C-alpha cells in the first residue's frame, strides 16, 4: 500500500513537471512566400514562443542563419535550437522571442549566385515583420549564425548596424586573408565565376567593412565562439576579430570550448550565444492599443 501511494505521488509529480515543461514549449511553423528579388518561392521556419497564438504581445526577433548547404530546418533538426530556446526562456536566461530561420542553401548570404543579401533585407525582413508580431527596430532585433551563417550575420550587421542590436557568431567562417584549402567557400561557386577567386573573397569579407562600421560609433555587442579544434582553425580567426572589438571598447564575449567544427560543438555554443545577444533587446511588450 505504501509503495502504491509513493508511486502515485511520483507519477503525479512527473505529470506536473511535464505539464509545466509543455506550457513553456514554443512551436516551429513553416512559411513560404514569393520573393520579388529572387523571383521564386522562398521558404523559412519561425519559432514562436509559448502563448504567441493566444496573446497580444510583440516580441523581439532573432534571424538565425544556417551553414553552407543547410536549409531552414538545420538549426532545429541538427542544432536542437527549439529545445535550447525553450529552456533558455523557461530558465529566464532570455525573453520570449520569435526566431526566424531562413533557407539560403550555398549562397553565403551575398549577391553572387543569387541576390540573397538584397532579398534578405528587402523581401524576407518585411515579409516577417508584416506577418508576425515582432519588433521592427534595432533594439528589438538581433542576428546570428553558424559557419557560413556567421559570415553572413557579421556582414549584415557591419553594413547595417542601425538595424541589429547584437550578433551571435557560432564558429563563423570569417577567414582572413583567405579560406583554408578545405573550406567549402572555395568550391561552391560563390567567390568567383568558374573557380574560386581570392580577390572576390577579399572584396566581400568583413575587413573591407570595418572602417566604415567603426566610423559610425555604433556599439554592436558580438558573441564570438568556436571549438578549440575547429577543422578550419576558426578559433584563431574569431579571436582576432574579438581583439578588434576589445581594442575599440565595444562589448563582446569570446567562448572557446573543447570541440571541432560540427554540431556537437555548435549545440554547446548556441545557448550562451543566445543568452548574450538577448541581453541587449527590449522585453516583449503589448501591441499598441491592446490590453491585458
Amino acid at each position: 500500500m505504501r509503495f502504491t501511494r509513493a508511486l502515485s505521488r511520483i507519477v503525479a509529480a512527473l505529470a506536473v513537471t511535464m505539464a509545466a515543461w509543455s506550457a513553456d514549449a514554443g512551436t516551429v511553423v513553416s512559411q513560404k512566400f514569393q520573393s520579388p528579388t529572387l523571383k521564386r518561392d522562398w521558404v523559412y521556419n519561425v519559432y514562436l514562443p509559448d502563448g504567441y497564438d493566444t496573446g497580444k504581445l510583440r516580441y523581439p526577433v532573432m534571424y538565425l542563419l544556417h551553414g553552407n548547404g543547410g536549409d531552414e530546418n538545420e538549426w532545429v533538426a541538427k542544432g536542437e535550437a527549439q529545445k535550447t530556446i525553450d529552456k533558455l526562456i523557461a530558465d529566464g536566461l532570455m525573453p520570449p522571442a520569435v526566431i526566424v530561420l531562413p533557407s539560403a542553401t550555398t549562397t553565403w548570404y551575398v549577391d553572387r549566385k543569387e541576390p540573397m543579401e538584397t532579398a534578405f533585407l528587402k523581401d524576407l525582413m518585411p515579409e516577417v515583420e508584416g506577418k508576425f508580431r515582432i519588433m521592427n527596430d534595432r533594439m528589438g532585433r538581433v542576428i546570428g549564425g553558424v559557419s557560413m551563417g556567421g559570415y553572413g550575420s557579421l556582414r549584415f550587421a557591419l553594413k547595417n548596424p542601425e538595424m541589429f542590436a547584437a550578433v551571435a557568431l557560432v564558429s563563423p567562417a570569417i577567414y582572413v586573408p583567405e579560406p583554408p584549402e578545405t573550406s567549402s567557400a572555395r568550391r561552391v561557386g560563390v567567390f568567383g565565376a568558374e573557380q574560386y577567386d581570392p580577390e572576390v573573397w577579399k572584396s566581400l569579407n568583413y575587413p573591407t567593412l570595418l572602417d566604415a562600421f567603426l566610423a559610425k560609433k555604433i556599439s554592436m555587442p558580438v558573441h564570438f565562439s568556436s571549438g578549440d579544434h575547429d577543422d578550419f582553425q576558426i578559433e584563431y580567426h574569431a579571436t582576432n576579430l574579438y581583439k578588434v572589438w576589445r581594442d575599440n571598447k565595444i562589448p563582446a564575449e569570446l567562448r572557446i570550448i573543447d570541440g571541432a567544427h560540427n554540431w556537437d560543438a555548435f549545440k554547446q555554443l548556441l545557448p550562451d550565444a543566445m543568452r548574450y545577444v538577448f541581453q541587449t533587446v527590449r522585453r516583449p511588450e503589448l501591441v499598441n492599443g491592446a490590453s491585458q
Side-chain angles (χ1 to χ4, degrees):
M1 182 68 73
R2 289 180 180 175
F3 174 78
T4 301
R5 286 198 297 268
L7 182 60
S8 297
R9 286 196 294 271
I10 292 172
V11 170
L14 285 173
V16 170
T17 301
M18 289 302 292
W21 182 87
S22 297
D24 291 328
T27 57
V28 175
V29 296
S30 299
Q31 300 290 306
K32 181 171 70 173
F33 74 108
Q34 178 69 25
S35 166
T37 302
L38 299 178
K39 297 180 173 56
R40 62 171 175 82
D41 285 343
W42 194 359
V43 293
Y44 63 98
N45 286 339
V46 180
Y47 169 94
L48 300 174
D50 178 61
Y52 178 91
D53 289 339
T54 57
K56 296 180 180 179
L57 292 175
R58 190 180 304 280
Y59 294 91
V61 61
M62 180 180 196
Y63 291 86
L64 185 58
L65 310 185
H66 65 72
N68 184 77
D71 58 24
E72 73 279 9
N73 300 309
E74 185 175 62
W75 265 115
V76 175
K78 296 180 180 179
E80 300 180 357
Q82 183 175 2
K83 183 171 75 172
T84 294
I85 298 162
D86 284 342
K87 188 173 190 313
L88 287 169
I89 294 172
D91 292 347
L93 297 177
M94 67 171 273
V98 170
I99 313 298
V100 180
L101 305 134
S103 174
T105 61
T106 59
T107 62
W108 284 69
Y109 305 95
V110 296
D111 288 348
R112 293 283 296 177
K113 264 188 175 179
E114 288 188 290
M116 184 58 66
E117 179 180 350
T118 298
F120 182 94
L121 297 169
K122 292 190 174 181
D123 298 351
L124 178 67
M125 290 181 62
E127 151 79 10
V128 173
E129 291 172 359
K131 186 172 289 186
F132 298 96
R133 296 193 314 276
I134 60 174
M135 298 171 185
N136 60 359
D137 58 68
R138 180 177 191 257
M139 296 315 296
R141 186 191 297 125
V142 296
I143 192 168
V146 62
S147 194
M148 177 188 88
Y151 170 93
S153 297
L154 181 61
R155 290 187 78 255
F156 281 127
L158 292 182
K159 294 182 75 173
N160 310 279
E162 68 285 348
M163 296 178 68
F164 302 100
V167 189
L169 303 180
V170 179
S171 298
I174 50 172
Y175 312 115
V176 177
E178 292 184 61
E181 293 294 331
T182 53
S183 170
S184 60
R186 292 176 174 265
R187 302 187 302 274
V188 294
V190 174
F191 302 100
E194 295 182 1
Q195 60 185 8
Y196 167 76
D197 183 339
E199 295 310 312
V200 175
W201 171 267
K202 292 174 184 177
S203 71
L204 291 170
N205 201 15
Y206 77 82
T208 63
L209 306 172
L210 269 180
D211 287 346
F213 164 74
L214 293 172
K216 292 181 179 180
K217 303 293 184 182
I218 297 177
S219 179
M220 176 70 71
V222 177
H223 188 280
F224 301 89
S225 63
S226 174
D228 62 349
H229 290 86
D230 188 277
D231 306 56
F232 310 104
Q233 296 188 350
I234 285 175
E235 66 273 26
Y236 166 80
H237 298 284
T239 301
N240 282 348
L241 187 54
Y242 170 72
K243 184 178 186 303
V244 173
W245 251 241
R246 294 278 290 151
D247 288 347
N248 285 277
K249 296 179 171 54
I250 305 173
E253 283 193 1
L254 173 67
R255 295 290 180 270
I256 306 296
I257 66 167
D258 182 17
H261 196 81
N262 57 37
W263 283 101
D264 287 339
F266 305 157
K267 286 187 291 187
Q268 293 181 59
L269 295 169
L270 180 62
D272 197 55
M274 297 196 76
R275 173 203 60 77
Y276 181 76
V277 296
F278 274 103
Q279 290 178 346
T280 65
V281 302
R282 301 199 309 277
R283 307 298 93 172
E285 56 196 28
L286 285 170
V287 177
N288 290 340
S291 62
Q292 299 190 42

